[in-house]
């Protein structure tokens, strides 16, 4: 009996204990935070901060609505990225739309987070046009550029200044994609920036471009003056160099003469005679001269008696002269 009573008491204690709580599954995900629209030249992005969970991969869905249409999905359904490009042909730039995004994890979903109303023509940032080329003249610069977006209501303005100063000038707003900066100084560097705006009820004015600098050209008269100055300078330089060379030669005449005139060298046989005066150098020179035959040879061209007699007379006279020279 005591054992039976203890068993009953134990059963009563077990039944009186509270049931352990069941493992709760999340009923809802946190909603995305920092939902923001970015738009530049009608390229539209919706971005948000990621939703963090312990297990699983969170997906996101984006929808949009307009005044005429209720919430509709776009190309951002069950995506893993935390951004959505809603640049879409069905979403016109002149529509006023509202976007919303939510997080999803299996069957569990977060609340929708809506954006403010977005009007692309008014809320997109109109970037500056792209400079194609710059034509330079002596007193002007002509800027040729192309727009980043295709819109009929775009206008452009240029801010420019001389690089050595801080005085800014601005042109008038114009639709032309070629703007001239006039009444400038020649051979001077000018810097400029350009911006665009979209003409609406409230103008959408974009930011200025990065600073670009170009130099104006030189006129024909200035170019001719430079040529004349160079010619005169070259002529004066040549004259000065000629005078300096003349004075240098006059002052260092002996030195220059010594440099450019080779020293006189006595012939070898005379130098040997001077060293030894007893050498019969002069007699050897006289013998060499005597051995040389200064006469031309004669040939008989006729057998006539008169010619033969004349030839004999000439030969005899030549022989006499030679003997007299030897004596």
């Amino acid at each position: 009996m005591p054992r039976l009573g203890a068993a009953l008491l134990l059963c009563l204690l077990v039944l009186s204990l509270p049931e352990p709580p069941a493992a709760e599954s999340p009923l809802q995900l946190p909603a995305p935070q920092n939902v923001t629209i970015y738009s530049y030249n009608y390229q539209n992005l919706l971005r948000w901060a990621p939703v963090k969970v312990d297990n699983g991969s969170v997906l996101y869905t984006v929808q949009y609505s307009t005044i005429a249409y209720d919430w509709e999905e776009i190309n951002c359904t069950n995506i893993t990225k935390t951004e959505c490009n809603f640049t879409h042909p069905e979403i016109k730039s002149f529509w006023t739309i509202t976007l919303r995004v939510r997080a999803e994890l299996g069957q569990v979903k977060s609340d929708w987070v809506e954006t403010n109303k977005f009007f692309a023509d008014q809320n997109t940032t109109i970037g500056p046009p792209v400079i194609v080329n710059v034509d330079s003249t002596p007193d002007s610069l002509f800027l040729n550029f192309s727009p980043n977006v295709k819109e009929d209501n775009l206008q452009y303005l240029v801010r420019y200044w001389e690089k050595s100063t801080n005085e800014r000038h601005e042109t008038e707003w114009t639709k032309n994609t070629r703007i001239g900066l006039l009444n400038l100084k020649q051979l001077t560097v000018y810097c400029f920036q350009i911006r665009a705006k979209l003409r609406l009820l409230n103008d959408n004015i974009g930011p200025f471009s990065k600073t670009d600098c170009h130099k104006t050209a030189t006129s024909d008269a200035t170019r001719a003056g430079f040529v004349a100055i160079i010619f005169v300078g070259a002529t004066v330089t040549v004259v000065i160099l000629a005078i300096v060379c003349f004075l240098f030669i006059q002052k260092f005449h002996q030195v220059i003469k010594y440099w450019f005139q080779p020293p006189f060298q006595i012939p070898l046989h005379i130098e040997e005679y001077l060293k030894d005066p007893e050498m019969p150098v002069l007699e050897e020179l006289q013998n060499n001269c005597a051995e040389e035959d200064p006469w031309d040879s004669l040939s008989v061209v006729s057998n006539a008696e008169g010619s033969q007699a004349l030839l004999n007379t000439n030969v005899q006279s030549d022989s006499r002269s030679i003997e007299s020279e030897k004596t």
Side-chain angles (χ1 to χ4, degrees):
M1 292 297 294
R3 291 181 179 179
L4 181 59
L8 292 174
L9 180 61
L10 182 59
C11 290
L12 292 174
L13 290 175
V14 171
L15 293 174
S16 64
L17 291 175
E19 296 181 0
E24 296 182 356
S25 59
L27 299 178
Q28 193 171 12
L29 287 175
Q33 302 295 319
N34 301 326
V35 181
T36 310
I37 294 176
Y38 297 89
S39 181
Y40 187 83
N41 288 334
Y42 293 101
Q43 298 299 311
N44 308 321
L45 286 176
L46 179 67
R47 293 177 178 171
W48 58 89
V51 175
K52 297 181 180 180
V53 295
D54 294 334
N55 297 315
S57 177
V58 178
L59 302 178
Y60 306 95
T61 297
V62 179
Q63 295 179 346
Y64 77 95
S65 69
T66 65
I67 298 176
Y69 299 96
D70 202 357
W71 294 106
E72 295 185 5
E73 293 184 351
I74 51 178
N75 55 345
C76 297
T77 301
N78 296 329
I79 61 175
T80 58
K81 296 189 301 183
T82 58
E83 69 176 22
C84 172
N85 188 338
F86 62 95
T87 305
H88 198 276
E90 295 182 358
I91 302 178
K92 308 300 181 183
S93 61
F94 55 86
W95 285 1
T96 300
I97 67 173
T98 304
L99 301 171
R100 67 179 185 179
V101 59
R102 73 177 180 186
E104 301 175 358
L105 181 61
Q107 299 299 321
V108 183
K109 305 181 187 321
S110 72
D111 292 333
W112 290 100
V113 180
E114 295 185 9
T115 64
N116 297 326
K117 294 183 182 300
F118 174 76
F119 180 44
D121 283 341
Q122 189 66 51
N123 299 127
T124 192
T125 300
I126 303 297
V130 178
I131 298 293
V132 177
N133 67 290
V134 178
D135 298 327
S136 177
T137 66
D139 60 350
S140 60
L141 293 174
F142 292 92
L143 316 182
N144 301 281
F145 51 87
S146 61
N148 282 326
V149 295
K150 295 181 180 180
E151 285 290 337
D152 296 333
N153 295 326
L154 284 177
Q155 293 187 353
Y156 311 97
L157 173 141
V158 178
R159 172 191 293 172
Y160 63 98
W161 62 95
E162 189 177 338
K163 188 175 183 180
S164 59
T165 65
N166 293 321
E167 185 179 358
R168 269 33 176 191
H169 306 276
E170 290 186 355
T171 62
E172 300 290 336
W173 288 101
T174 178
K175 289 185 176 182
N176 296 327
T177 56
R178 177 181 171 88
I179 297 179
L181 311 180
L182 308 178
N183 300 323
L184 306 180
K185 301 177 183 178
Q186 65 175 338
L187 293 176
T188 305
V189 178
Y190 285 87
C191 299
F192 54 85
Q193 296 172 317
I194 187 169
R195 73 193 310 182
K197 76 173 179 179
L198 187 62
R199 290 300 306 271
L200 301 168
L201 295 177
N202 295 319
D203 291 339
N204 182 1
I205 302 177
F208 278 105
S209 65
K210 294 182 179 179
T211 301
D212 195 2
C213 299
H214 283 267
K215 189 176 184 178
T216 54
T218 178
S219 64
D220 294 338
T222 304
R223 192 179 297 110
F226 286 160
V227 172
I229 291 173
I230 294 173
F231 177 77
V232 172
T235 304
V236 172
T237 302
V238 171
V239 172
I240 293 175
L241 290 176
I243 294 174
V244 171
C245 291
F246 176 77
L247 296 177
F248 181 83
I249 292 172
Q250 291 294 323
K251 184 174 182 180
F252 301 98
H253 175 72
Q254 297 298 330
V255 177
I256 296 174
K257 184 177 180 181
Y258 176 79
W259 286 348
F260 288 95
Q261 184 175 357
F264 176 76
Q265 294 182 355
I266 301 174
L268 182 61
H269 58 279
I270 298 178
E271 183 178 359
E272 292 177 354
Y273 174 76
L274 294 176
K275 291 180 180 179
D276 188 5
E278 297 180 356
M279 291 182 63
V281 177
L282 295 179
E283 295 181 358
E284 182 178 356
L285 291 176
Q286 291 177 357
N287 293 332
N288 292 335
C289 294
E291 291 178 357
E292 294 180 355
D293 186 9
W295 311 104
D296 296 332
S297 62
L298 300 175
S299 59
V300 177
V301 296
S302 176
N303 292 327
E305 294 180 356
S307 299
Q308 184 66 33
L310 179 61
L311 178 61
N312 293 331
T313 303
N314 290 335
V315 170
Q316 291 176 0
S317 62
D318 291 340
S319 298
R320 294 171 183 174
S321 60
I322 290 172
E323 291 177 355
S324 62
E325 288 178 358
K326 288 182 178 182
T327 56

